[in-house]
Structure formats: C-alpha cells, structure tokens
Amino acid sequence: MGDEPAIWTRGLRKTYRSFTMREVVAVQGLDLRVPAGGVHAFLGPNGAGKTTTIRMLLGMVRPDAGEIRLLGHALPQGLEPALRHVGAVVEQPTFYPHFSGRENLMLLAVAAGVPASKVDAVLDQVGLAGRGRDRFRKYSLGMRQRLAIAATLLRDPQLVILDEPTNGLDPAGIHDVRELMRSLADQGRTVLVSSHALAEVEQVADTVSIVVRGALVAEGRVADLLGERSGTTVRVRVDETDDAAAVLRRTGWTVRDDANHLVVDGAPSAAEVNRSLVASGIYAHELSLVRPDLEAVFLDLTREVAS
Amino acid sequence: MNLLRVELARFYARVLLWCVAVGLFVVSGLVVFDAWHSSRPPSAAAVAEAQTFYEQQLKDFEENGEQMVADCKDQQSQDPDPKADYGCDQMKPKLEYYLPYTPSFAGEGVRSLGNISMAILLVAGLMGTSFVAAEFASGAISNWLTFAPRRVPVFASKLGAAFLGVLPAVILAVGVTAGGIVLAYSSHGLLDGVTDAAWAGFRDTSLRLLAVGPIAAVAGAALAFLLRHTAAVLGVVIGWAVVWEGLLRSLIPTLQPYTVVLDVTAWVQGGTTYSVEDCGVRAPDGSMTCEYVEHTLHMTQAGLQLGGLVVVLVVVALLVFRRRDVA
Ligand SMILES: Nc1ncnc2c1ncn2[C@@H]1O[C@H](COP(=O)(O)OP(=O)(O)OP(=O)(O)O)[C@@H](O)[C@H]1O
Ligand SMILES: [Mg+2]
C-alpha cells in the first residue's frame, strides 16, 4: 500500500436535520489523515463530531460533502472491500440480548465468512473466554466493551476503530485495552481510538488528531503537540515558600503560589527546578510535573480557531 | 445466503415472537369452537318446539290452504312482470322450515376458516415488524452493518427471514383451524355428501390463508424499516384502520374494494360481495328511493391490490433504507 494512509478524508461535512428542521452541524470540512500502522488518537470534546466521523468512515452515515479513502478504497463505492479489513466499535456496543456473547460472535462470523474457531480465539484474547456462554443481556458494561473489541478482531483487521473503548471499564480493563491496542499496532495494524480524555490515550497513542466543533484543529505526534502548546509546568512543595520563590524567580521563571505549593512555569524540566533549589539549600518535599490537560489545549485551540 | 441463515437464527431466538404466535393459536381455538358450536344439531327441545309449530301451521294450511294458494296465484297474475314467481306452489309447510338452521360444511364450514385471516394478518405483521424494529431500537443494526455493509442484501435477508420465520406458526395455526373445523363438522355428522368441489374449495381457502401470513410479515418488516419503532408501526396501522378502513369507507362506500379488510376477505374466501347504497329518483312520482346494490369483489382483483400494496411498501422501504443514516 506504500504511503497510502489508513484513513484519509478531505472536506468531510455532515449536518443532521431533525423533523423540526433544526440543523446540527456535526462535522464541518474535516481533513483527517491517519497514517498506516500505529495507534492514532482521535481527540475532541463531547459533541466534537468524533462518532459522526467514524460512522461516515463505516458507511453508516452519508456525508453531505467531502471525500473519504479507507485503506486505499474510495468510499462509498469501495465500502464493502474496505470494511472486510476493518473492525469497529461505535459508541455503546449493542449485540443481540438473547444470545450469549459467543453466539453473537458466531452469527457475525457466519455473516463475515470467518471460521468458527476464530470466535474462541478472539474471546480468549479479550479475556472473555470464561463468560462467552452467558447471555449478552447479563453482561456488565465492561464485558460488553470487551465483546465488542473481540468482534472487531474476528476478521483479522488491518484497521481497528475504537470509539471511546474504555467507557465503563475498570482500571484493569483500561489497562488491558491499552495493552491490546499496543499489541495490535505492534502486529503492524492501524488503531484509531477516539476519546475526549487525553490521559486515556497519551501513553499509547503515537499520533493524534484533535477535532473541535467538527473541524481539525491540530494533528501530529502526541509529544510534539503537547510540548509545543504548553512548555513545562512544575509544582513544588517546600517549607521555605518565600525563599524558594525568590530563588526561582531569580532564574527567570514565573512563580505562582497555589495552596502551599509553588507553581513554576517556563523551566526546561523538573530536574532544573530541583537543581536550583538544592543549590540554594532548599529541599523539596514534593516535586511534580504538571501535565498540560487536554481541556486547556482544547480551549487554546478553539480560541485560535475562532480568531 | 449466509445472511439469511443468520437472520433466521435470530428470528427463532426471539422469545417475544413466540408469545405473539401463541395469540394466534388462541384465535384458532376460538374459531374452531365457534365452528363446533354453530354446527351443533338442534336440541331435542328445539326439535319438539319446531314439530309443534309445524303441526299447527300444517293444520292451518289444511283448513285455509286452498284459499291462500288461490290468493297468491291471483296476485302473481296481476304482477306486470310475466316471469314473477311468488312461490305459490311451495306454500305447504314443511318441518325443516321450522327447524333451527343447520350450517353446511361447503358454505359456513369453508367460510369459518376465513375467520382466522385477520388474526394471521395482524400476528404475522407484528412478528415481522418487531423482528426488524427491535434491531433499530437497540442499535444492534449499526454493529451489524459494519459486518454486512451492503444495505440491499441486509434488507433482503431480513425480509426473507420474516417471510420464512412466520411460516411454521402460520402453517400450524391454519392446520389446527382447518383440522378443527373438519372435526367439528364431522362430529356433528355434517360431512356426508360433501362434494369434491367443496373439499377443493376448503383446500384452496386454506392455501390462500397460508399465503396471508408470510406476506403480512414482509409488509410488517418493510414498515419497520421505514419507521424503525414497533410503536410507530402500530400507530400507523391503527391510524390507517381508523381513517381509511373505517371513516372513509363509511363516508364513501365505493372505496370498499380498496380496503385491506375487504381485500383480505375476498382473497381468502375466493371473492366476496359488498353493498353500496344507491339513491335516485325512480318512481314516477319523483320521490327519492334508495336501495342497496350488491357488488362483487373478485379474488384476483383483491389479490392484485394487496400484492401491489406490499410491493410498494417494500420498494419504498428499500429505497429509504439504502440511503438512510443509521446512527
Ligand atoms: N443522530 C443524530 N441526530 C442529530 N444530531 C446528532 C446525531 N448524532 C450526533 N448528533 C449531533 O452531532 C454533534 C456531534 O456528535 P458526535 O456524536 O459525533 O460527537 P462526539 O465527538 O462523538 O461526542 P462524544 O465525545 O460525546 O461522544 C453533536 O452536536 C450531536 O448532538
Ligand atoms: Mg461519540
């Protein structure tokens, strides 16, 4: 496939119209580029249009305008051949409640022409092997998510699309999903994972696209994006608050008092902050790097978009 | 083919559908009971009463009969229509005139089979609707479409599953009803001398009745594709029943052959009649008179109309589903 991205869209638009003719512009001119291979985070606040975009990629929702290429196939003509190599979970996964998880996967396997042996393999892969024979209706939210992820793996997908997959998962489940995404990427597959919480994906994502109000506001490598936006912020707790503040200000950094802590902006790293304090004979009880939160980045980016 | 297999497996797993089907068997039971009840021979008391009445009438006829027949013939001869038949030769009472009416298998027996047609229509339609609508309501359709993205085969397989899925229940219900009616008439000794033609009519009615079920299921499924909720489909069906089958039909009686109820009746019974009130000035004194004119609705016309309606529903549903956002 060469340099062909796994997902490529240009000028994608979707407006929902209700019976009352109220219009909601969900996606407006989205240019998305998901490189083949690796984990790609699709970030955006609630209502940014992530799910709508994913639905358009899967042919469930018809775009008003724009082009989509999925695994090298132009949509909508290429939808069927493309989806043979795609596994996707959209929003809350829904299966047939009267069937067990295993039976649900069996039905999908029959429809997709996948051998039945694959079903037990994928159930095992998501840690549902023991509960596969319970009815879907009785599954917990986390088990439903796992079953949905198992379903995506049935067809040995080149591209796995997960829409907020950690919704409803316990910490162990979140960890498992991350591991799974990582291992899928390591096998050479592409994973697109949508989320509104950066913390959920930043450890696992290689690249990211951020959407706000239906349009792309930033894209690139996760580390670059956060670094470029915020610089380093360090929180320090010391006994000699005033002395420490004076020391740090002398170095040229900005220092703010915040509930018995000092918040230092502009230092190259937490280690540098510690070094200057120690040099003045001040020892920190606590020193932590404040991660720029996505909310701040969003707000930043949205303001830029608006102006 | 794979899709159809999966859909059928799903259809048969829906417990709710089987609860609905039970309703059909209850109606079967009622129809059979009614056939049995109405074909009972007259009770001894009723026969005795008829006998007494008959004897009275016979005595009366023996006394005044000659005069009555003469009067009758007199009136007949005054009728401007030379072909008029006042039945003056049959005025002598006969016992069977006074006995309670005994239905015949060829008439009432065959017709009573049709009493289950509305139940089949509604139950099979509801099964088709709920089968498809449940997937839209739960959102399972959206997961399904990632595996089977081509909408036309998805649509066709669901309609196919609705068609085949209701068959066992419908076959059983028609079988139980037909068998029950035959047993009821036979237990009352009313099957002697039933002609081959009558048996053929009974068989054909059963077969046409069988066709109602799967076609109704397909129509119900198509409506569910259009409206996506069982409640919405029920609303539309009830609205149609009230406005079209009820209100318009009584306001404009000439529309009767275009109602589903009459069409289904005509289809199942092999044709039916309906009457339209016809008012006009006929008498020489210029007064308005009204009379009911009976019209025939042929089975073929009814069948074509019903088939046409279902085809339109299916085509519209397919066109809509092919383009519709599933979100
Ligand atoms: N079926 C629909 N009909 C009408 N409007 C819709 C529909 N689905 C989504 N929307 C609207 O489109 C916008 C984008 O919704 P979407 O679900 O794509 O956002 P999202 O980024 O997935 O949000 P979240 O993080 O909450 O899942 C929202 O304003 C939403 O209200
Ligand atoms: Mg969403």
Side-chain angles (χ1 to χ4, degrees), chain A residues 16 24 26 45-52 91 164 196, chain B residues 327:
Chain A
Y16 288 108
V24 177
N46 292 137
K50 304 180 295 290
T51 301
T52 302
E91 277 191 344
E164 317 232 2
H196 52 82

Side-chain angles (χ1 to χ4, degrees), chain B residues 109-287:
Chain B
V110 176
R111 262 202 303 283
S112 65
L113 191 51
N115 289 344
I116 200 180
S117 61
M118 282 303 136
I120 290 180
L121 184 74
L122 292 179
V123 167
L126 186 61
M127 287 170 89
T129 293
S130 116
F131 173 58
V132 170
E135 286 202 36
F136 280 96
S138 73
I141 184 88
S142 113
N143 188 25
W144 183 239
L145 285 177
T146 68
F147 275 79
R150 285 162 63 218
R151 302 271 179 109
V152 179
V154 166
F155 180 85
S157 61
K158 288 197 188 296
L159 258 55
F163 184 97
L164 295 174
V166 297
L167 267 181
V170 173
I171 289 177
L172 203 60
V174 172
V176 165
T177 315
I181 290 171
V182 168
L183 275 181
Y185 276 75
S186 119
S187 74
H188 296 145
L190 294 172
L191 288 186
D192 309 328
V194 171
T195 61
D196 286 351
W199 281 116
F202 190 69
R203 182 199 62 210
D204 293 346
T205 301
S206 309
L207 291 178
R208 285 194 303 266
L209 202 48
L210 279 185
V212 170
I215 304 277
V218 165
L223 277 172
F225 266 109
L226 277 174
L227 302 169
R228 291 180 287 191
H229 295 280
T230 301
V233 173
L234 286 180
V236 164
V237 168
I238 291 171
W240 165 280
V242 169
V243 172
W244 186 260
E245 308 276 321
L247 220 60
L248 271 179
R249 195 185 80 140
S250 54
L251 290 179
I252 315 170
T254 46
L255 288 180
Q256 283 177 92
Y258 307 107
T259 59
V260 171
V261 171
L262 203 74
D263 281 357
V264 169
T265 308
W267 166 252
V268 171
Q269 307 286 17
T272 192
T273 57
Y274 62 98
S275 49
V276 175
E277 195 177 35
D278 181 25
C279 295
V281 179
R282 290 186 204 82
D285 63 0
S287 70

Side-chain angles (χ1 to χ4, degrees), chain B residues 68-85:
Chain B
M68 281 155 70
V69 171
D71 286 353
C72 174
K73 289 202 162 133
D74 191 35
Q75 273 174 24
Q76 181 174 321
S77 65
Q78 278 169 25
D79 196 298
D81 184 353
K83 283 200 294 278
D85 181 4

